Amino acid sequence: MNISPVLRGLVVTTALALAATACSTKAPGGDASGGAVKTGQGVTDGTITLGVLSDLSNVFGPLGQTLVQGNELYFKQRNASGGICGRQVKLEIRDHAYNVQTSVSQFSELEPKALGFVQLLGSPIVSALAPKIASTRAVTLPATWSTDWLSKDGLVIVGSAYPVDMINGIQYLLDEKKIKKGDTLGHVYFEGDYGTNALKGSQYAAEKLGLKIKPVQVVPSATDLTAQFNELRSGGDPQAILVSAGPRQTASIAGLAAGSGLKTPILANGPGFDPALLATPVGKTLADNLYVATSYEPFSGGSKQAQTIATQYGTAYPNGKPTNMVNYGYATAEVMGQALDQACKEGDLTRDGLAKAMRSLNKVETGVMPALDLSDAAKFPSTSSYINRVDLKAKGGLVVAKEPFTSDLTASFTG
């Protein structure tokens, strides 16, 4: 696997400035009054420092690497055009390797010198750090989409929720006649704020649509799911399999299904797919049967912004292996960038100023996600999902099967 130089090692500091700019230079969206801007932690006359805590080497390693690269692409572009509020944006990147204790130590190290965090990957990591984020008021964009994070001080979710993506995905399978009323759907899931939360969505959809759900829990370290697959099949084969786990679990389920002659659709949440799977023996099975529900457009999406990002990615990372998380990383950086612009206009680049600016954004256009309304911390900013299918020839491995849509069921789903 090729990793960009900025990701090497457990502790990496990256200055994204292409050229230093004087602190008097005003970037687009700078302080409209031309007056002094109030600053706090992570902000100097010349820089704005943001933290990134990601998994670059464990359960979600390949996805985390490309998520960081998406963050980098956006801020490289902003820095090259003058920065934000006359300052260059600097990312401090750490690899917690999906280890909670490591992430706690890294947060303690980074928090005093960062204005906020543009990425915090992993549900158990977010759960452990949520109290510290609330007490320090460091605005944080978690790369996890659980309804558990709504109304939590400091946490700003970008996209739709795990259960909403699952509801929309099941609705798609039903609309496309890949399943029918009365069918049983197996659901393989991680315990906790990711899988258990997604399971709420599948169970809700099943209740409303006349389906049955057979849940089977797995742990992140499990790579051979033979026992779980046999449990899914006990009492009769499922007519579809849902996966709210990691790429390794998706691969194991797909391989076992193929080996048993079970040709059934597989629907995964976004974190359950990695294009590296397509180079394994299960690649053909995934191409035939896998669908992925996400709140963001895949890397090979047809929108103008997706194509622009793909071009920029190819230039910045000529040996990179893009995943669907590149676009999400770019989009979350865009959200943070727009919030910083607004905070600058208001003359307040403190943590409280950034938090206020973030919640003032009620129609954020990223180009690779539906418009986002961040004004209500108790609601997800989007309830729409892309339904993607595997394409062995597409960069990133996914293409859009259905443009973002919202099932009627999401209006009554409360989580």
Side-chain angles (χ1 to χ4, degrees):
M1 179 178 301
N2 295 310
I3 303 176
S4 63
V6 71
L7 300 177
R8 297 186 187 280
L10 290 178
V11 180
V12 185
T13 302
T14 177
L16 294 174
L18 298 183
T21 57
C23 64
S24 61
T25 302
K26 295 298 177 185
D31 178 16
S33 67
V37 176
K38 184 179 179 181
T39 61
Q41 288 167 278
V43 182
T44 69
D45 287 343
T47 61
I48 297 171
T49 299
L50 300 173
V52 174
L53 294 181
S54 193
D55 174 13
L56 306 177
S57 58
N58 198 358
V59 178
F60 296 109
L63 301 181
Q65 291 163 20
T66 54
L67 179 57
V68 171
Q69 289 168 341
N71 293 158
E72 292 176 328
L73 283 177
Y74 174 80
F75 285 115
K76 283 179 180 179
Q77 179 184 358
R78 289 302 303 268
N79 285 339
S81 62
I84 295 176
C85 208
R87 295 163 171 83
Q88 296 285 284
V89 177
K90 176 183 177 184
L91 297 186
E92 289 274 359
I93 301 168
R94 303 292 185 272
D95 174 16
H96 57 57
Y98 212 66
N99 181 285
V100 170
Q101 189 54 53
T102 299
S103 72
V104 171
S105 298
Q106 291 172 342
F107 183 87
S108 297
E109 178 238 333
L110 283 182
E111 179 273 322
K113 56 186 178 183
L115 174 59
F117 289 79
V118 72
Q119 183 196 147
L120 179 60
L121 188 151
S123 291
I125 310 301
V126 177
S127 182
L129 290 175
K132 292 181 178 292
I133 292 168
S135 65
T136 60
R137 307 179 70 83
V139 173
T140 299
L141 308 186
T144 171
W145 301 270
S146 170
T147 56
D148 293 349
W149 310 133
L150 296 176
S151 300
K152 299 290 187 182
D153 289 345
L155 293 177
V156 179
I157 315 299
V158 178
S160 55
Y162 291 126
V164 168
D165 284 341
M166 196 52 67
I167 291 169
N168 290 337
I170 292 171
Q171 183 72 65
Y172 171 81
L173 293 179
L174 189 65
D175 291 346
E176 295 296 314
K177 301 186 180 347
K178 298 183 182 299
I179 57 174
K180 63 183 185 303
K181 185 175 180 179
D183 281 353
T184 296
L185 315 183
H187 195 157
V188 177
Y189 70 99
F190 283 164
E191 182 183 15
D193 340 276
Y194 168 24
T196 303
N197 195 240
L199 180 62
K200 291 180 181 180
S202 68
Q203 291 175 328
Y204 183 81
E207 176 188 352
K208 297 298 183 180
L209 297 172
L211 303 165
K212 299 176 184 178
I213 296 295
K214 188 169 188 178
V216 176
Q217 183 182 311
V218 297
V219 296
S221 60
T223 56
D224 180 357
L225 272 59
T226 300
Q228 292 86 351
F229 182 69
N230 289 337
E231 183 179 349
L232 284 178
R233 301 188 72 189
S234 63
D237 287 339
Q239 282 70 56
I241 300 175
L242 316 175
V243 180
S244 300
R248 297 168 187 171
Q249 290 74 36
T250 302
S252 182
I253 284 293
L256 290 164
S260 67
L262 184 60
K263 297 180 180 179
T264 185
I266 301 171
L267 172 68
N269 285 103
F273 176 74
D274 178 357
L277 298 178
L278 304 183
T280 71
V282 302
K284 179 63 167 56
T285 299
L286 296 176
D288 291 340
N289 301 316
L290 181 64
Y291 297 87
V292 183
T294 64
S295 57
Y296 40 90
E297 190 176 9
F299 186 79
S300 289
S303 73
K304 180 178 179 180
Q305 182 68 314
Q307 293 174 358
T308 297
I309 293 172
T311 299
Q312 292 175 345
Y313 184 89
T315 300
Y317 308 101
N319 297 317
K321 296 182 178 180
T323 76
N324 55 333
M325 297 302 276
V326 173
N327 285 359
Y328 183 74
Y330 192 98
T332 53
E334 172 80 47
V335 169
M336 182 65 82
Q338 290 191 30
L340 288 169
D341 286 337
Q342 183 62 33
C344 182
K345 289 179 181 178
E346 298 296 329
D348 189 353
L349 278 176
T350 65
R351 287 181 174 174
D352 286 343
L354 177 59
K356 180 180 178 182
M358 185 72 74
R359 290 303 179 192
S360 74
L361 303 177
N362 57 19
K363 193 176 181 181
V364 179
E365 299 286 356
T366 67
V368 290
M369 302 182 78
L372 302 171
D373 182 355
L374 301 171
S375 63
D376 189 346
K379 296 180 180 179
F380 264 79
S382 171
T383 56
S384 296
S385 306
Y386 290 85
I387 306 301
N388 309 294
R389 63 175 178 81
V390 173
D391 186 326
L392 296 173
K393 296 180 180 179
K395 289 185 177 180
L398 295 177
V399 294
V400 176
K402 185 174 180 63
E403 295 293 339
F405 80 106
T406 303
S407 167
D408 292 341
L409 297 179
T410 61
S412 55
F413 176 74
T414 59

